[in-house]
Amino acid sequence: MSTATAIAEAPASTAATRGLVEITKVHKSFGATEVLKGVSLTVEPGGVAVIVGPSGSGKSTLLRTINHLEKVDGGYISIDGKLVGYEVRGQKLHELREKEILKQRTEIGMVFQNFNLFPHLTALENVAEAPVVAQGRSKEEARRRGLELLDRVGLKDRAGAYPRQLSGGQQQRVAIARALALDPKILLFDEPTSALDPELVNEVLDVIRELAKSGTTLIIVTHEMGFARDVADTVVFMDQGQIVEQGTPEQIFTNPQEPRTRSFFSKVLEPAFNI
Amino acid sequence: MSSAATTAAQSTTSAQSAAGAAPDADAGGHATLGGVTLQAAPTGTATSGSGGVPPEDGSARVATDYSAFRVVAAKHPWRWVGTAFVALGVLAVAWSLATNPRWEWGVVAQWFTAQSVIAGLLETLKLTAISGILGFVLGFILALMRLSASPLLVSVSWTFSWIFRSTPLLVQMLLWYNLGYLYEKISLGIPFTDVRFFEVQTTTLISQFAAAVLGLTLNQAAYSAEIIRGGILSVDQGQLEAAAALGIPAWRRSTRIVLPQAMRAILPTAFNEIIGLVKGTSIVYVLAYSELFYTVQVIYNRTQQVLPLLLVATLWYVVITSVLSVFQYYIERHYSKGAVRNLPLTPLQKARKFFATHAVANNARNAR
């Protein structure tokens, strides 16, 4: 496949043909604490699901099970009908080997709360590393594509800078470009703005808003309620390891059905919406 | 005025208002401070109270423009006294080194580049290089074993470090050299059968050189394993997670992502070890192995010029260590890429910049 078609086709092919995420009755415990108690959730291809809820409700853990950074104790997760981390053979689920798990992960980009950029590599090297070693693309192609992606997040002129020479917001935008470099079907955002100074939050949210229109499936854990309302197709409210309620932003924010949802939003929303 | 101080002792707010009300209050307050010093905390509040004065105070005063004032640098007379004292000491030592005939610098110069000494020096360098490299390679493997998920690998690595760090190097050395006494033959075959692929007399296999390299390498590996393990542990877990999430293979994660970051923690201690090893090789004199230290011993036993010959060896150790320190500086600098916002200039770059800017300044002056 030539580079030109790969780039041209990336946004087109994502539109509704790939990126269906189905989470079925997922359980996960850390020691004696059960952090996910049978969570089921479907995100349609190209959909934008925003997960909200109090700290410790299992939002981040759920996100990390989707790309198998956490192994589930029960239930299963599939992407476009293919199980994550397992292979069906007859009536058995065989655990995939490291190599195959890594291959699956290249289809799922992840953006972390603390950016986790590689500090000893420049912005461009950060972006261009995985396509070469995980997807076997040529260095030249990865570099060219890396520059395009940095341009897309508005940082083309900082390609040669090391992460510590960038502001928090810039670092997170590089991290988003790095996740995009693998042309993932799905992007996971784990509280992408929680570590940022307030005035830097918007530059990151703007980039994510753009991505929401691109047709890639997004699953976002965030505390930015205004942003959630703005960008989500589906808002999912989690508490104590369970999905309490889900629906359109309208339903969840203005007319929540469950008392737990109502009490959470009464604490979180009012100050923001009164301003 | 003492009343102002007592109010201050009672409450901070009143201290501020009291001090703030009248600018001359704190001027007088100092006089009475002596009387209140016993009450340590209240005195503190009183002074901080008067420190908080300027905002209220400033509005009353006319602002002075200080921009045209000359800045007088603070004076540090005791620093100069200290410097002079140390300089005098250094001078005295240098003078005694140069003038005391018993140092026998002539003898030192005569032997410094003697053929036998140079041969010994080369042996020292050879031992250091071989056991340093092998030691760190083995140490890296041991560190990875120790960090692996396999309990067997972890305990083997732990036991290795435990044994080699708890026995004296001298004993290890003699043990390797006398291995022939314990095991007459060394053979490779299938255990518990009579099948042998090869068999050799231990004494022919373990020469002085082999015993020296074996002893130094295994001992070095035990220490460097811990240094490398510490370096790897110092790298944030999030780095591995991000690399795994990007689908980067495990080996590449170690070599490209973790190790370069671990190097910053590893290098200073690793160079300590290498420099220690340079001098540590002198322990192989117990095997009568003619490296630098053993060579000078042999010479002074013959000529009786003990101190000058020890100086010859010492000076060579200083030279090696100095060269290694320069390497250390540049290697550490290489790995600090990205860890500091801007790399500091090297001494060479500093010198170049100094001359460049001064040349420019001179030219500019000449042009005028």
Side-chain angles (χ1 to χ4, degrees), chain B residues 25-91:
Chain B
D26 59 85
H30 284 300
T32 46
L33 270 180
V36 215
T37 34
L38 282 177
Q39 299 164 298
T43 314
T45 25
T47 29
S48 74
S50 52
V53 171
E56 293 169 62
D57 225 26
S59 55
R61 274 188 200 146
V62 181
T64 322
D65 181 14
Y66 296 113
S67 56
F69 283 39
R70 196 166 61 91
V71 176
V72 181
K75 293 196 170 60
H76 304 281
W78 285 107
R79 195 183 288 173
W80 286 106
V81 173
T83 310
F85 197 71
V86 172
L88 207 66
V90 171
L91 207 69

Side-chain angles (χ1 to χ4, degrees), chain B residues 94-257:
Chain B
W95 181 254
S96 89
L97 278 176
T99 54
N100 186 345
R102 297 208 177 174
W103 285 107
E104 298 182 83
W105 290 110
V107 181
V108 172
Q110 176 200 336
W111 285 105
F112 192 64
T113 51
Q115 205 177 358
S116 52
V117 170
I118 296 294
L121 174 70
L122 289 179
E123 287 302 316
T124 291
L125 289 175
K126 194 166 88 183
L127 276 183
T128 308
I130 293 176
S131 23
I133 290 168
L134 290 180
F136 269 89
V137 169
L138 187 57
F140 180 58
I141 295 168
L142 284 168
L144 291 185
M145 282 167 70
R146 183 79 188 274
L147 292 169
S148 80
S150 151
L152 178 71
L153 293 184
V154 172
S155 39
V156 166
S157 170
W158 184 87
T159 311
F160 183 96
S161 291
W162 174 61
I163 291 174
F164 283 93
R165 290 196 304 176
S166 40
T167 48
L169 182 54
L170 195 67
V171 175
Q172 289 175 32
M173 219 47 117
L174 290 171
L175 202 70
W176 289 121
Y177 192 51
N178 295 306
L179 199 64
Y181 172 76
L182 295 171
Y183 302 96
E184 219 170 284
K185 288 171 180 168
I186 293 177
S187 60
L188 185 71
I190 300 169
F192 308 115
T193 64
D194 288 331
V195 183
R196 295 277 179 277
F197 302 122
F198 108 129
E199 197 169 73
V200 68
Q201 289 285 328
T202 307
T203 39
T204 53
L205 193 70
I206 309 276
S207 61
Q208 285 164 321
F209 176 71
V213 167
L214 205 57
L216 290 171
T217 299
L218 295 182
N219 190 67
Q220 193 55 55
Y223 285 94
S224 39
E226 287 299 282
I227 294 169
I228 293 169
R229 189 172 70 94
I232 291 175
L233 288 180
S234 74
V235 177
D236 180 24
Q237 192 60 28
Q239 292 288 309
L240 273 177
E241 217 163 61
L246 284 166
I248 297 173
W251 178 250
R252 182 84 180 170
R253 285 205 291 270
S254 307
T255 55
R256 170 80 164 163
I257 307 299

Side-chain angles (χ1 to χ4, degrees), chain A residues 159-264:
Chain A
Y162 288 98
R164 289 218 172 86
Q165 297 166 327
L166 300 171
S167 74
Q170 289 173 329
Q171 289 188 46
Q172 193 59 296
R173 279 146 67 199
V174 173
I176 293 173
R178 180 174 73 171
L180 285 173
L182 294 164
D183 283 328
K185 299 174 176 179
I186 297 148
L187 276 171
L188 310 174
F189 290 88
D190 188 4
E191 303 192 19
T193 58
S194 296
L196 296 177
D197 290 340
E199 77 269 24
L200 301 178
V201 167
N202 274 327
E203 64 182 62
V204 171
L205 293 185
D206 286 344
V207 171
I208 303 177
R209 273 196 193 93
E210 280 303 307
L211 290 173
K213 295 179 203 150
S214 75
T216 314
T217 308
L218 306 187
I219 303 179
I220 306 166
V221 170
T222 187
H223 291 297
E224 299 284 333
M225 295 302 160
F227 167 74
R229 184 173 203 154
D230 192 17
V231 81
D233 306 329
T234 313
V235 175
V236 179
F237 174 68
M238 278 184 81
D239 191 21
Q240 292 172 3
Q242 288 169 322
I243 292 181
V244 178
E245 196 171 352
Q246 57 174 304
T248 63
E250 276 300 293
Q251 284 168 354
I252 300 293
F253 284 108
T254 55
N255 189 19
Q257 299 300 307
E258 297 289 327
R260 269 196 282 175
T261 321
R262 248 175 275 152
S263 101
F264 174 72

Side-chain angles (χ1 to χ4, degrees), chain A residues 64 67 69-70 98 102-103 105-106 108-110 112 115-121 125-126 129-130 133-134 162-166 178-179 182, chain B residues 236-250 252-253 255-261 264 335-343:
Chain A
R64 291 157 58 86
N67 68 352
L69 277 183
E70 302 289 357
E98 168 90 5
L102 290 175
K103 199 174 158 235
R105 286 203 186 119
T106 61
I108 311 165
M110 182 151 187
F112 298 86
F115 329 135
N116 289 343
L117 288 178
F118 307 131
H120 59 301
L121 305 180
E125 284 167 343
N126 263 282
E129 172 73 12
V133 297
Y162 288 98
R164 289 218 172 86
Q165 297 166 327
L166 300 171
R178 180 174 73 171
L182 294 164
Chain B
D236 180 24
Q237 192 60 28
Q239 292 288 309
L240 273 177
E241 217 163 61
L246 284 166
I248 297 173
R252 182 84 180 170
R253 285 205 291 270
T255 55
R256 170 80 164 163
I257 307 299
V258 176
L259 205 55
Q261 296 184 57
R264 268 178 64 75
Y335 281 105
S336 68
K337 242 184 350 183
V340 288
R341 287 209 170 158
N342 291 301
L343 281 180

